[in-house]
């Protein structure tokens, strides 16, 4: 059996080597056809943007095209909300970036191409965002780069790093989020900006848990589950994910301090709207082949409606960020111009240049023209358009004809990032603030939110309005949220076991089913619970809360039925008393994290005396292992058995902690270079390798 398994593994290795050699020879291993390199040319694209003058000079246009035809560098940021962010950043500099330049330079020695060194973005706070220039081919050829790649994957899975395009980091940055803010992300999927907002919400953790929350929305039910995956990495009890159309997002309710319902007004809103996406051509080169003028024209109306709805939901004095990954002024400045004119003096475009110092960009455009997709003809004012275009090109897409009106809009305050400015993709950002009630919504907030349309009509003596057809809900039907009461038996059991303080509110714990034994207990903050309880019947809530406790099946009937979950420790550890908390030395924590295999847990006799004495004083069961210094505090969920103790955490989290402790993590790294050497030796002994000549003969036959 073992011999058969080894033979299969060897065959798999040889197949992978064959595929790698096919790729290097210019063939597709799946069909053995030569790769068709995408030609990064589109005459309509270039004519359109040259006419719109998105670049100020011919020299800038040449730089723009040159940058747009190159691949995008790899970028990532260290999670800034974590206490150990700076420590992890130091690990990145010392262990992974120190040899980066020499390694990449050696790989590119043949083509003599210049390799830019890794750099942190000067405009991102704390130097926690990085740019690296290496390709997938480089990773395949270099062991140090493979280690760096594996590091990024591991830390991303554990939520300590986010691999995100550089320009995508700008909108959450200028949103200016603080821990007390109520935030709505209108078009959130896939979730990288949502994750950044959650991090900002938790940045003031020294002052206690956030009193604000994030509502992350997307119209696509399937994409909502991508949001769930992104948010879960950050273990935040302040985030809820909902499924609704952003352009008609429902008015949510919230209970005030007196227990009465009132309309929920958001302090911060991100409207990263659907767009044509031609700013992502470096990352998605296939856009070159399918770009058309009509895409921007057709999206303008939807983009305007989303921004308008966002402003309606924004509180007075709040801030909304409108952004796209498009170059098209019809999707950018035209939407902002249209909105500002509709709002009169109720909304103002803000100058946020001081919030992104170090970022190179162009100011917003103040003149543009609208083009007909069929005849490729440009129009500079609505009166010149033929009647046939009336339903396609709207007057609101044009810039204001009156110079005084145009000056009042301050469109130059918009941010236009082009690829050559910072070696990134292209992006558009506009930051608006709401100064007073919108002209068309002066008296709306006077109606009590608990009134239905029928109740309002009855109050006015009018007949009730006709019933609306119920919208068909796509996707899975979500389980409801069942919140605990103060005398919930499960909580009383947990409170006794873990010495939960009286300050903790059990009403913030919930489960998703009343059928059978509860497997998981989740935790949300008080503000998040308020929003869920007040809106569960009016909007589809996909997910909320973090896993706080997990059922464990003890043989001892008198022990607690739930163990601590690692995901919930950052939020709950301050409420848990010293009864089941173990303070450990560095070496003991390293020993635990290196031996998380449940089949072979460490013996209590193997740990240091200080830890051993504490373990002997507590009964078997779940506990917290804590290691703390001036610069770091690590809390790990553990299980104390009769003779053993082990960390109850995921491998990625264990590796992260070990890195911060300066321990060796090579046992968790998959070094394919060592494996390939071993496989080559075995293959040579069994004569199962294929020569280059044989390989090309096989390709010719299969083609």
């Amino acid at each position: 059996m073992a011999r058969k398994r080894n033979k299969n593994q060897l065959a798999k290795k040889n197949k992978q080597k064959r595929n790698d050699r096919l790729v290097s020879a210019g063939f597709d291993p799946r069909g053995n056809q030569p790769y068709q390199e995408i030609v990064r040319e589109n005459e309509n694209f270039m004519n359109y943007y040259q006419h719109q003058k998105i670049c100020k000079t011919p020299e800038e246009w040449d730089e723009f095209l040159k940058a747009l035809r190159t691949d995008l560098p790899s970028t990532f940021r260290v999670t800034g909300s974590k206490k150990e962010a700076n420590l992890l950043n130091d690990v990145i500099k010392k262990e992974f970036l120190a040899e980066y330049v020499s390694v990449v330079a050696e790989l590119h020695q043949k083509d003599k191409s210049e390799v830019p060194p890794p750099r942190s973005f000067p405009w991102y706070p704390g130097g926690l965002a990085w740019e690296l220039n290496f390709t997938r081919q480089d990773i395949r050829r270099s062991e140090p780069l493979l280690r760096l790649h594996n590091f990024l994957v591991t830390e991303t899975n554990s939520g300590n790093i986010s691999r995100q395009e550089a320009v995508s980091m700008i909108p959450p940055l200028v949103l200016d989020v603080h821990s007390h803010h109520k935030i709505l992300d209108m078009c959130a999927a896939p979730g990288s900006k949502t994750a950044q907002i959650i991090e900002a919400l938790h940045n003031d953790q020294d002052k206690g848990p956030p009193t604000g929350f994030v509502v992350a929305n997307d119209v696509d039910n399937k994409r909502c589950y991508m949001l769930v995956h992104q948010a879960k990495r950050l273990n935040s009890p302040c985030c809820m994910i909902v499924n609704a159309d952003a352009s008609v997002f429902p008015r949510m309710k919230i209970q005030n301090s007196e227990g009465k319902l009132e309309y929920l007004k958001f302090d911060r809103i991100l409207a990263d709207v659907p767009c044509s996406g031609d700013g992502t051509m470096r990352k998605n080169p296939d856009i070159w082949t399918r770009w058309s003028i009509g895409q921007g024209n057709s999206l303008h109306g939807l983009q305007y409606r989303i921004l308008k709805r966002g402003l309606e939901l924004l509180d007075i004095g709040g801030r909304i960020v409108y952004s796209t990954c498009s170059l098209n002024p019809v999707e950018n400045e035209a939407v902002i111009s249209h909105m500002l004119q509709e709002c009169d003096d109720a909304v103002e475009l803000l100058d946020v240049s001081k919030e992104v110092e170090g970022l190179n960009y162009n100011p917003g455009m103040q003149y543009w023209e609208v083009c007909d997709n069929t005849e490729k003809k440009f129009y500079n004012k609505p009166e010149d358009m033929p009647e046939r275009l009336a339903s396609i090109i709207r007057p609101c897409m044009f810039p204001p004809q009156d110079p005084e009106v145009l000056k009042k809009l301050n469109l130059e305050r918009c941010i236009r990032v082009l690829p050559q400015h910072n070696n990134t993709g292209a992006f558009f950002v506009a930051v608006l603030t709401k100064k007073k009630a919108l002209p068309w919504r002066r008296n709306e907030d006077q109606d009590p939110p608990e009134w239905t349309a029928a109740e309002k009509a009855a109050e006015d003596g009018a007949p009730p309005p006709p019933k609306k057809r119920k919208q068909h809900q796509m996707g899975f039907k979500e389980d409801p949220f069942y919140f605990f009461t103060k005398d919930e038996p499960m909580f009383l059991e947990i409170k006794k076991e873990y010495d939960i303080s009286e300050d903790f509110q059990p009403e913030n714990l919930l489960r998703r089913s009343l059928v059978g034994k509860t497997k998981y207990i989740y935790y949300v903050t008080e503000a998040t619970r308020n929003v869920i309880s007040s809106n569960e019947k009016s909007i589809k809530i996909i997910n909320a809360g973090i896993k706080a406790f997990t059922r464990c099946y003890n043989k001892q009937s008198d022990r607690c039925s739930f163990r601590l979950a690692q995901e919930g420790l950052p939020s709950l550890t301050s409420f848990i008393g010293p009864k089941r908390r173990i303070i450990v030395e560095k070496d003991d924590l390293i020993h635990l994290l290196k031996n998380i295999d449940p089949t072979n847990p460490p013996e209590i006799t193997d740990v240091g005396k200080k830890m051993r004495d504490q373990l002997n004083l507590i009964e078997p069961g779940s506990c917290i292992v804590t290691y703390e210094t001036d610069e770091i505090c690590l809390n790990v969920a553990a299980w104390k058995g009769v003779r053993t103790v082990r960390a109850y955490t995921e491998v990625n989290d264990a590796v992260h902690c070990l890195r911060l402790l300066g321990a060796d993590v090579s046992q968790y790294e998959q070094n394919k270079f060592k494996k390939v050497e071993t496989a080559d030796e075995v293959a040579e002994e069994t004569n199962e390798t294929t020569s280059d000549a044989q390989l090309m003969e096989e390709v010719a036959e299969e083609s």
Side-chain angles (χ1 to χ4, degrees):
M1 190 71 179
R3 186 175 181 181
K4 184 178 180 181
R5 184 169 62 251
N6 292 336
K7 188 175 182 180
N8 290 339
Q9 290 175 348
L10 181 61
K12 191 175 181 180
K13 291 293 181 184
N14 283 331
K15 183 178 180 181
Q16 182 61 48
K17 287 179 63 178
R18 177 180 182 275
N19 288 345
D20 289 343
R21 288 155 67 187
L22 280 170
V23 170
S24 63
F27 288 85
D28 179 357
R30 291 166 295 183
N32 291 332
Q33 298 297 321
Y35 280 114
Q36 297 296 322
E37 185 71 27
I38 294 175
V39 179
R40 305 192 186 199
E41 296 281 345
N42 188 307
E43 185 178 356
N44 290 332
F45 171 85
M46 291 187 281
N47 290 340
Y48 181 79
Y49 284 119
Q50 271 190 308
H51 187 93
Q52 297 287 19
K53 297 180 180 178
I54 64 169
C55 295
K56 298 176 182 178
T57 64
E59 291 77 18
E60 186 183 7
W61 173 258
D62 292 339
E63 292 175 4
F64 165 74
L65 284 183
K66 182 180 178 181
L68 205 61
R69 287 167 175 156
T70 59
D71 291 332
L72 200 64
S74 301
T75 53
F76 67 90
R77 55 183 174 80
V78 182
T79 302
S81 64
K82 307 229 180 230
K83 186 177 179 180
E84 62 266 18
N86 291 328
L87 189 57
L88 182 60
N89 209 31
D90 291 338
V91 171
I92 293 171
K93 294 176 188 176
K94 295 174 183 176
E95 294 190 18
F96 295 99
L97 299 185
E99 58 182 346
Y100 169 89
V101 176
S102 59
V103 169
V104 178
E106 185 179 346
L107 291 173
H108 291 267
Q109 191 173 8
K110 291 182 180 179
D111 55 17
K112 297 181 180 180
S113 58
E114 185 178 348
V115 182
R119 67 180 182 117
S120 60
F121 300 123
W123 46 267
Y124 195 87
L128 296 176
W130 291 88
E131 174 190 285
L132 304 174
N133 289 270
F134 61 84
T135 65
R136 292 183 178 181
Q137 288 77 14
D138 293 338
I139 294 172
R140 294 192 191 103
R141 294 183 293 166
S142 168
E143 185 175 347
L145 291 186
L146 179 64
R147 285 184 61 247
L148 172 59
H149 178 263
N150 289 339
F151 163 79
L152 294 176
V153 171
T154 304
E155 294 294 339
T156 299
N157 291 336
S158 62
N160 300 291
I161 277 178
S162 287
R163 301 170 77 183
Q164 181 180 357
E165 192 175 347
V167 284
S168 176
M169 304 176 193
I170 300 171
L173 201 59
V174 296
L175 197 59
D176 188 32
V177 171
H178 295 280
S179 61
H180 63 279
H181 283 150
K182 301 181 286 291
I183 308 159
L184 171 63
D185 190 350
M186 301 187 76
C187 310
S192 57
K193 297 182 188 67
T194 308
Q196 194 175 345
I197 292 171
I198 293 172
E199 292 169 25
L201 192 70
H202 286 265
N203 265 341
D204 299 330
Q205 276 187 332
D206 294 339
K207 301 177 182 178
T211 55
F213 54 83
V214 179
V215 177
N217 171 70
D218 202 86
V219 67
D220 190 320
N221 184 262
K222 292 180 181 178
R223 286 166 64 88
C224 284
Y225 293 98
M226 298 171 64
L227 274 174
V228 173
H229 175 71
Q230 281 278 22
K232 276 189 173 181
R233 295 186 307 114
L234 300 173
N235 299 326
S236 172
C238 312
C239 178
M240 56 183 290
I241 293 157
V242 300
N243 181 203
D245 184 348
S247 62
V248 289
F249 194 84
R251 301 206 70 187
M252 301 182 75
K253 307 166 191 174
I254 195 169
Q255 282 189 351
N256 60 23
S257 57
E258 299 175 356
K260 295 181 179 179
L261 285 175
E262 61 182 20
Y263 287 123
L264 171 58
K265 290 286 191 177
F266 293 95
D267 303 303
R268 297 289 187 268
I269 295 179
L270 175 60
D272 186 54
V273 299
C275 64
S276 58
D278 53 14
T280 67
M281 281 179 160
R282 296 183 70 182
K283 183 174 67 175
N284 305 308
D286 59 305
I287 294 177
W288 283 95
T289 63
R290 51 185 173 84
W291 185 92
S292 71
I293 294 169
Q295 292 171 346
N297 295 343
S298 62
L299 285 166
H300 175 93
L302 173 63
Q303 293 161 341
Y304 166 78
R305 292 195 301 275
I306 292 175
L307 178 58
K308 181 179 179 181
R309 188 55 181 158
L311 283 167
E312 290 172 351
L313 299 170
L314 187 67
D315 200 3
I316 294 173
R319 178 181 287 201
I320 183 170
V321 174
Y322 174 89
S323 62
T324 74
C325 50
S326 169
L327 296 157
N328 198 339
V330 174
E331 301 178 65
N332 299 331
E333 286 89 351
V335 175
I336 300 300
S337 170
H338 182 189
M339 193 72 259
L340 289 173
Q341 292 178 79
E342 288 284 322
C343 295
D344 197 15
D345 59 346
V347 175
E348 180 186 1
L349 191 59
L350 294 178
D351 180 5
V352 293
S353 56
K354 292 184 178 180
E355 298 178 29
V356 286
E357 288 186 358
L359 178 71
N360 300 317
Y361 61 89
N362 286 344
M365 298 170 61
Q366 300 193 58
Y367 178 81
W368 62 91
E369 297 180 1
V370 185
C371 185
D372 170 21
N373 187 40
T374 306
E375 297 183 357
K376 310 296 186 291
K377 184 177 180 181
F378 287 87
Y379 301 92
N380 59 11
K381 53 186 177 181
E383 296 80 14
D384 296 341
M385 289 191 309
E387 186 67 26
R388 65 180 179 81
L389 296 177
S391 62
I392 301 173
I393 299 177
R394 304 285 185 178
C396 57
M397 296 181 183
F398 293 85
Q401 303 299 307
D402 186 343
E404 291 299 319
V405 174
L406 181 62
K407 183 179 179 181
K408 187 179 177 181
L409 298 182
N410 296 310
L411 292 178
E412 72 280 356
R413 294 178 179 176
C414 297
I415 293 174
R416 274 189 158 268
V417 181
L418 299 182
Q420 74 276 15
H421 287 153
N422 308 276
N423 192 24
T424 63
F427 223 77
F428 175 85
V429 181
V431 184
L432 303 98
T433 185
K434 187 176 180 180
K435 299 164 65 179
K436 60 183 181 180
L438 301 173
W440 63 91
R441 304 294 286 260
R442 297 292 188 198
N443 302 316
E444 179 183 335
D445 296 338
Q446 294 178 2
D447 296 327
E450 57 266 44
W451 277 13
T452 64
E455 290 170 336
K456 291 178 184 178
E459 181 71 14
D460 298 334
K467 291 184 178 180
K468 291 184 178 180
R469 293 181 63 184
K470 190 173 182 180
Q471 184 179 1
H472 177 63
Q473 291 284 356
M474 299 297 291
F476 299 105
K477 182 179 179 181
E478 294 296 327
D479 293 328
F481 293 78
Y482 299 103
F483 287 95
F484 281 23
T485 59
K486 287 186 177 180
D487 56 353
E488 170 66 48
M490 281 188 290
F491 172 70
L492 296 177
E493 182 184 2
I494 289 170
K495 182 180 180 181
K496 179 181 177 182
E497 177 74 7
Y498 300 107
D499 194 19
I500 305 293
S501 69
E502 296 296 331
D503 296 336
F504 183 78
Q505 295 178 288
E507 297 94 331
N508 294 338
L509 295 175
L510 65 96
R511 46 184 166 167
R512 298 298 299 269
S513 176
L514 294 178
V515 179
K517 287 187 175 181
T518 299
K519 187 174 182 181
Y520 302 117
I521 297 174
Y522 300 91
Y523 170 74
V524 296
T525 57
E526 183 179 1
T528 311
R529 169 174 58 84
N530 189 343
V531 177
I532 295 172
S533 302
S534 304
N535 298 277
E536 191 174 5
K537 294 181 180 178
S538 59
I539 191 170
K540 186 176 182 182
I541 303 175
I542 301 293
N543 187 271
I546 54 173
K547 195 184 299 179
F549 301 97
T550 301
R551 180 174 289 277
C552 55
Y553 298 93
N554 283 326
K555 295 180 180 179
Q556 298 172 308
S557 58
D558 60 331
R559 302 305 304 163
C560 181
S561 302
F562 291 90
R563 65 172 177 84
L564 295 163
Q566 181 67 37
E567 298 92 324
L569 283 191
S571 299
L572 298 178
T573 187
S574 61
F575 297 107
I576 298 174
K579 181 180 174 181
R580 301 201 67 81
R581 187 187 297 271
I582 308 296
I583 309 300
V584 301
E585 301 292 343
K586 180 178 177 180
D587 291 342
D588 286 330
L589 183 55
I590 291 175
H591 179 65
L592 285 185
L593 293 172
K594 281 194 169 186
N595 295 275
I596 59 174
D597 183 2
T599 62
N600 188 27
E603 296 284 337
I604 293 177
T605 53
D606 294 338
V607 302
K609 184 178 185 303
K610 178 181 176 181
M611 182 179 179
R612 187 166 63 248
D613 291 344
Q614 294 176 79
L615 287 171
N616 290 333
L617 293 175
I618 66 173
E619 295 291 329
S622 185
C623 58
I624 301 177
V625 171
T626 300
Y627 171 74
E628 186 171 8
T629 64
D630 292 337
E631 60 180 0
I632 189 174
C633 179
L634 298 177
N635 291 294
V636 177
W639 183 270
K640 188 253 180 176
V642 177
R643 293 181 298 275
T644 61
V645 58
R646 77 176 182 93
Y648 234 118
T649 184
E650 296 288 338
V651 173
N652 290 331
D653 293 326
V655 173
H656 167 70
C657 292
L658 287 169
R659 282 199 177 102
L660 296 182
L661 295 169
D664 179 24
V665 295
S666 58
Q667 70 182 88
Y668 300 101
E669 294 178 349
Q670 294 184 358
N671 192 330
K672 76 172 187 178
F673 290 89
K674 298 291 183 184
K675 293 182 179 180
V676 167
E677 289 175 8
T678 304
D680 285 345
E681 292 172 1
V682 175
E684 287 175 5
E685 292 177 4
T686 54
N687 295 319
E688 293 189 20
T689 55
T690 307
S691 67
D692 287 347
Q694 289 174 321
L695 179 67
M696 300 316 295
E697 286 179 7
E698 292 176 14
V699 171
E701 290 175 1
E702 293 173 3
S703 300

